[in-house]
Amino acid sequence: VSWARAPVPVVGGDVPSLSELPPMVRRRVDKLGRLATHVALAVQGAERELPIVFASRHGDAPRAFDTQMEIARSAPLSPSGFAMSVHNAIAGQYSVVRGDRSNITAIANANFTLEAGLIEALTLEETSLLVVYDASPHEGIASRFPDVPSDFAFAWKVKRGGPWRLRTCDETHTGRTTLPHSLDVLAFVLRRDRCLRAADGVSGYEWMYSPVERASDSSNCV
């Protein structure tokens, strides 16, 4: 919550050791995978048969870039590196590690990947797990990266109902922020602000916090 009061993007820093996983698995999972796996394990705990949505705008973009550079140099590809560069690799690895055959989805939707992931999670079961994550770009493509660089992952156990409301809104561009959109939403939820609106010129979403005492308040963001 203290981060949400003065939120900043997080770049670099330590990564989870994932000591609870077998060494062979840990060697296959790099920084982004460790971040996503760590928060998913922490929130899901021992609960089984819980549908999970892994939501990432870019997936493991740094690893995918390295794989493409190997192809460009006609260098031998690492089978493990290639397998772990696809968008659903982290989700697949997570299900294998836990031996869990629950429904697992990997999703991306540009700037509004979190919203797409949340909608998907809420259509699966009454309770689902949503894991949101992304990494700073490889230095080779940083200048073309649309987001503020940040290394992050967080997970929510989501249920239908509750005090937060999400709906589409006018797509008029709301401007660039100092955080990736997913972190803007995380800060909004932690602070329990009244509303958050974001649009990118193509689509837009409006979040509203309406606790019981304000349940009758249906006004728009101002």
Side-chain angles (χ1 to χ4, degrees), residues 5 17 50 96 110 114 129 140 159 167 169-170 176 189 199 203:
R5 295 192 184 100
S17 64
L50 184 68
V96 170
L114 185 155
L129 182 68
K159 297 182 179 181
R167 62 187 179 188
C169 68
D170 186 274
R176 186 178 174 89
V189 170
S203 55

Side-chain angles (χ1 to χ4, degrees), residues 111-112 167-177 181 196-206 221:
N111 194 49
F112 297 110
R167 62 187 179 188
T168 57
C169 68
D170 186 274
E171 67 274 9
T172 302
H173 197 281
T174 55
R176 186 178 174 89
T177 69
H181 173 67
L196 173 70
R197 178 185 289 148
D200 60 7
V202 177
S203 55
Y205 285 92
E206 182 177 274
C221 293

